[in-house]
Amino acid sequence: MKKNDVILQTVTNVVVFMIFLFSLQVFFSGHYHPGGGFIGGLMTSGAIVLLLLAYDIKTVSKIIPIDYKLLIGIGLFFAVATGAGSLLFNVPFLTHAFSHFDLPILGETSLHTAVLFDTGVYLVVIGVTMTIIQTIGEGE
Amino acid sequence: MEEWFSQKRRIFIIDFQFVETAIFDSYFIHQGGIFLSLLHLAIFLPFIMAVFVPFLYKGFRKIHTGWFVLIVPALLFGYFLHFIPTVRENEIIKRTIHWIPSLKIDFTAYLDGLSLLFALLITGIGTLVVFYSIFYLSKKREQLHNFYVYLLIFMGAMLGVVLSDNLISLYTFWEFTSLSSFLLIGYWYQRDGSRYGAQKSMLITVFGGLSMLGGIFLLYNMAGTFSIRELITHKELIMASPLFIPSMLLILLGAFTKSAQFPFYIWLPDAMEAPTPVSAYLHSATMVKAGIYLVARMSPVYAESPVWLWIIGSFGIFTMFWASFNAIKQTDLKGILAFSTVSQLGLIMSLLGVGAAALHYKDMDENIFIVATAAAVFHLINHATFKGALFMVAGIIDHETGTRDIRKLGGLMGLMPITFTIALIGSFSMAGLPPFNGFLSKEMFFTGMVRVTEMDLFSLDTWGLLFPIIAWVGSIFTFLYSIMLFFRTFTGKLQMDKLERKPHEAPAGMLAPPIILAALMIIFGFFPNILTYNIIEPAVGAILPELLEPGEHFVGHISFWHGPGIELFMTIGVIALGVVLYLTLSKWGKIYSWFPDKLTFNHLYDQIIKWLESGAKSITKGYMTGFIRSYLVYIFLFFIVISGVTLITKDAFKIDVSNIAPIGVYEVVLALIIVIGSATILLAKSRLTSIIALGAVGYTVSLFFVIFRAPDLALTQLVIETVSVALFLLAFYHLPPLNKHEKGIGFKLGNALISIGVGVIVTLVAISAHSNKLFDSIAKYYIENTHDKAGGENMVNVILVDFRGFDTMFEICVLGIAALGIFGMIRLRLTNEGGKTNEKK
């Protein structure tokens, strides 16, 4: 029954990384260019979905042994913890801080606590999308 | 004689006043402004005792719980007795506990002649009833703790009603009496009749109680106080208000339902399912008189209005006639007594109404109209004595023979001589025969009614003649059922075969309370002036406060009770006609079968209950169709109507084209694509076509985002549209083959009109909103501060994670919940197989 998907799988192997890198690029540049945690997360899930299409669920969960429901929790924790962290500095909930640093390899870089928050969004979106797709896929 | 009396009285007064000031100005709890006086404690004592009754019941199984309970009313009766000398001088005792001061709701205990009369009735009859119930209710078979808890709650509530000055606390206790009465009527809750009677009395009295609450609020609206005392001082204000009549009608509704006046009397005969002590206490001596109390209490506020006189007078007198007329056809002893109670209450009510006329003749030297009010108070006491005794007699007969049906009874005279004597005194007093107390108050009743014709106000000089006539006819029937009750039970042939057990005289304990009441009937009959000075005068003074200066008396109305007058001839006529009617009862008794059952108020009540139930059911069934389609129609119709009406009535529609951007070619083309896509969705035969058209619309929207320079939205829209189309296809693929009809949606004119309506309304609202920009956008702030304050360049993202990150936080929560929900729905399938819930993978 199973057909030979050699072309698809080969192309997938290459393209997945491109998509993943692009999604990371979209995620990290969110604060300055179009993009951000939401669309980045969706694209990362897109990459995983492509894997799912080329292979099957079992294989993919072997390649990426992640419980996506846990990912939702971790993401929510990131978002809430970023907000709650600001309370430690005696400022209102979800007050962000940013500054420019001179990092060893990257040179002068601006670091922003909003990235941590966006990471939360990113992880939640991946978790949500993958949970839905995986659940429905396994459902029948 | 007269002189001696007044002298004697004066000596008493001096003594007691001294004691009064010594005892009653010393509050025994005084803490943080809360005064708990002895008077308050008297009201709360039954409630407090009610808490302990179950423990006493469980702890002392060998002693009848009633003995413990008996202490409470006896103590209270003694306590209230000693107020008589104070109150006789029209002095008033007033104690206040602040309850909710910010709402002007206090618990003010207020004791004047009227309150004292009722308090004495409640505690006095209460003592006798509790004593009687000790012998009536079996220690082994009955749940005595329930009985006495309910009875004590009732007693306390009733004391609260008559001693409250604040209308809200009065109302609170009022509903307590309804509630405890409901519990007592349903005491034998295993019987259908008990439950039916309890429900009926509850519905009717609570209906009246709530009306009364409305009346109380109207009064508050007019005068700004809940205190009856203060209401009386604001009388002018209240009488001038347009709310005067509505508030009066609402309060009277409360009084009439409680006091079983026409046409609300129907609950009382059904309340006879209660144990007999309860019937004797609640449904003859106390609770049904709460309405009378309310009318008497509110008299100073309302009585000057002609509406008051007419409503109370006419409803009372008609109730009196109607109930006595209907009492004849009853066959149950308690049924007769129930109708008799209704009739007597009507009598008292009518006297209170007619007594209001006294206020209009203030200047007369001798105000002959006060007699009606005095008669009302006097008859109130008399009725409590003879009706209490008769109920107890009925209970004894029930207890000793096993039946209360007068068709089965007869010839008990020789077997139960003491009961026979009590019944004789009671029923003759009720019939209004000398030398018992009922005779005196009946005479005064006739006097009061005859004098209605002498009044020259409110067109009473023409219609007033009806009052004495109806009163006289009613009295004939009263006489008739009284002697019928007596002779049918005690004379004639003993029908042993129909009785359940062999009748014999009741135990002494059961006989004692009715003997005391019978003795009182005779004492009051021969020495009515004991009551006149001590009880009746202060009570009349409380009902008609304007007529009586403090310390002034109108002694002597009852003392000239003998002497031939029109009243005496009326009484002779009543007796003569009554005897004739009794002897010929078998001939004219058929007229009762002329009334078909369908024309009775009971039938009406049952029908109303049935109509309400079936009506509510059919209405609910009518619009709660169970189809989500119908509910959507309601929601959209509501939206169209509300928004449309607002747009039209407020003249809100406005078009302002000055602020419109030029329309480009791209936008027109994309809009056309969206229109075509939407039309395709609606008209497509296949669902697949619809899904793809929906996808097309979604992608076009993302193109719109591109054109309107929203790259983040465009990206997200593209991906999300892809995902949702995929999910739609998934749903499509799994449609069950059986119902997979591949045809277009049908056309329904209603749906089309509603959807067009919604579209038009939304468009109009959007255009109006765009044309009515009242303030500048706050977007400028974000544009200026995105870089400086948030350290970003992408304004959309900065708003999402920084300026308004709180929203985003909860949106990702929503996503998480949705994912877990889907996971839960698919993974956790709890199926109900074989009565067990199994988790199925």
Side-chain angles (χ1 to χ4, degrees), chain A residues 2-16 50-51 53-56:
Chain A
K2 183 100 178 158
K3 288 174 199 155
N4 200 343
D5 288 339
V6 131
I7 296 175
L8 177 62
Q9 289 176 350
T10 313
V11 172
T12 301
N13 291 349
V14 178
V15 169
V16 159
L50 184 61
L51 275 179
L53 289 176
Y55 298 94
D56 57 305

Side-chain angles (χ1 to χ4, degrees), chain B residues 16 20 111 118 183 190 250 321 345 372 389 400 406 424 456 481 488 514 518 537 563 568 667 700 746 792 832:
Chain B
F16 268 95
E20 278 299 322
L111 191 90
F118 275 89
L183 291 169
Q190 302 89 344
L250 285 173
F321 161 73
L345 291 170
E400 300 304 328
I406 53 169
L424 176 92
D456 48 2
Y481 71 69
R488 288 274 175 88
E537 263 186 15
L568 194 65
E667 286 138 42
T700 319
N832 205 348

Side-chain angles (χ1 to χ4, degrees), chain B residues 591-638:
Chain B
I591 61 161
Y592 288 107
S593 53
W594 293 352
F595 292 108
D597 266 350
K598 287 194 173 172
L599 290 179
T600 58
F601 285 104
N602 269 324
H603 185 77
L604 184 68
Y605 165 84
D606 290 338
Q607 286 302 313
I608 286 174
I609 297 289
K610 220 189 273 174
W611 286 335
L612 283 177
E613 279 174 5
S614 60
K617 203 173 169 187
S618 62
I619 288 174
T620 312
K621 267 191 173 172
Y623 77 97
M624 285 285 167
T625 54
F627 292 110
I628 216 164
R629 197 185 310 133
S630 319
Y631 306 141
L632 286 176
V633 165
Y634 306 147
I635 294 169
F636 286 130
L637 269 181
F638 186 77

Side-chain angles (χ1 to χ4, degrees), chain A residues 30-36 38-39 42 69 72 76 79-80 93-94 96 98 112 114 117-118 121 124 128 132 135-136 138-140, chain B residues 711-712 715-716 719 727 730 734 788-794 797-798 801-802 805-806 808-809 812-813 815-816 819 822-823 826-827:
Chain A
H31 226 55
Y32 304 97
H33 304 286
F38 198 84
I39 189 70
L42 280 175
K69 297 190 291 299
I72 301 175
L76 283 174
V80 177
F93 187 68
L94 261 179
H96 290 301
F98 64 94
H112 199 305
F117 186 83
D118 232 7
V121 177
V124 169
V128 166
I132 293 173
T135 315
I136 293 176
E138 286 174 346
E140 297 315 309
Chain B
D712 292 275
L715 277 171
T716 314
V719 181
L727 288 175
L730 185 77
H734 288 291
D788 299 342
K789 289 194 172 167
E793 298 290 343
N794 180 357
N797 201 42
V798 167
V801 299
D802 199 339
F806 205 56
T808 311
M809 200 173 87
I812 58 178
C813 284
L815 284 178
I822 289 171
F823 180 78
I826 290 178
R827 284 297 174 83

